Amino acid sequence: ISQMAVGRSLDTLFNLQISRSALARIKTTSAKLYEGTYRSILNRIVLGKLVHVDETMVKLGNGTGYVWAFTNMMDVAYVFSETREASTPKKILGDFNGVLVTDFYAAYDSIECQQQKCLIHLMRDINEDVLKNAFNEEMEELAHAFAGILRPMIETIDRYGLKARFLRHHE
């Protein structure tokens, strides 16, 4: 959210009137103070066996940029870049050698490691295709069949977590 929105929220929630310049100084000071913490979180993510990555466009006062989310299911780190080019995740992941879970954005394909596509993104994309092709019975059958495969897995995860012994019967 914008610094103006942060200022309004601080005023509304805590009756604190803080100028935009003071907010900017607080943000800069906090970023410096927590730089080491941020780097250690990012390092834990990259040194792990599993990383989920996704990016989203953000509107800025003078244009747009992208925020990339990197997570290992315990930690999350956000990285800003001006573009959506593959150079950002490549630079962040460096020598990562675990499994990378992503959506279907082609830029991720250039990262050299084992990869898995996110099943939730796939299901969302299939659902969007069903809506766009409302009279395509074959597409609808595919969506129902895939949901029928995914649903029991998600129920198992909801009930037992990601424990391999419970997930094996879905192989």
Side-chain angles (χ1 to χ4, degrees):
I1 62 174
S2 69
Q3 284 184 202
M4 284 180 50
V6 170
R8 284 192 304 268
S9 294
L10 288 171
D11 186 24
T12 301
L13 296 170
F14 304 108
N15 198 28
L16 292 172
Q17 291 88 34
I18 300 176
S19 69
R20 283 178 34 177
S21 60
L23 279 173
R25 284 192 305 275
I26 291 169
K27 184 174 90 172
T28 300
T29 302
S30 297
K32 288 177 185 172
L33 179 67
Y34 289 105
E35 177 68 21
T37 303
Y38 173 76
R39 291 283 166 216
S40 69
I41 290 170
L42 205 47
N43 196 40
R44 278 196 308 268
I45 293 168
V46 172
L47 291 175
K49 299 285 184 206
L50 175 75
V51 175
H52 290 256
V53 180
D54 203 2
E55 82 293 332
T56 190
M57 186 177 67
V58 292
K59 293 184 182 197
L60 306 171
N62 58 349
T64 59
Y66 292 85
V67 174
W68 303 75
F70 295 82
T71 182
N72 61 8
M73 305 304 284
M74 295 297 288
D75 300 297
V76 64
Y78 299 98
V79 176
F80 174 80
S81 69
E82 293 179 359
T83 71
R84 194 177 179 220
E85 294 174 7
S87 58
T88 299
K90 277 181 148 181
K91 182 176 124 192
I92 296 300
L93 293 172
D95 294 327
F96 173 70
N97 62 5
V99 177
L100 179 64
V101 181
T102 65
D103 60 13
F104 293 87
Y105 177 41
Y108 297 120
D109 295 340
S110 65
I111 299 171
E112 294 188 27
C113 64
Q114 290 183 348
Q115 296 199 19
Q116 176 181 320
K117 298 305 178 190
C118 174
L119 293 176
I120 301 302
H121 278 90
L122 177 58
M123 192 71 231
R124 182 197 64 195
D125 291 351
I126 290 172
N127 286 336
E128 286 175 4
D129 287 342
V130 168
L131 290 173
K132 288 177 190 171
N133 301 287
F135 300 106
N136 185 332
E137 291 179 18
E138 187 178 355
M139 179 68 72
E140 191 172 335
E141 286 176 31
L142 174 73
H144 284 291
F146 187 67
I149 293 169
L150 262 186
R151 190 174 296 112
M153 290 183 224
I154 293 170
E155 289 170 356
T156 298
I157 292 168
D158 285 346
R159 186 168 182 190
Y160 302 107
L162 293 170
K163 294 182 176 84
R165 69 176 193 237
F166 295 110
L167 292 171
R168 274 193 199 102
H169 76 274
H170 295 292
E171 288 180 342

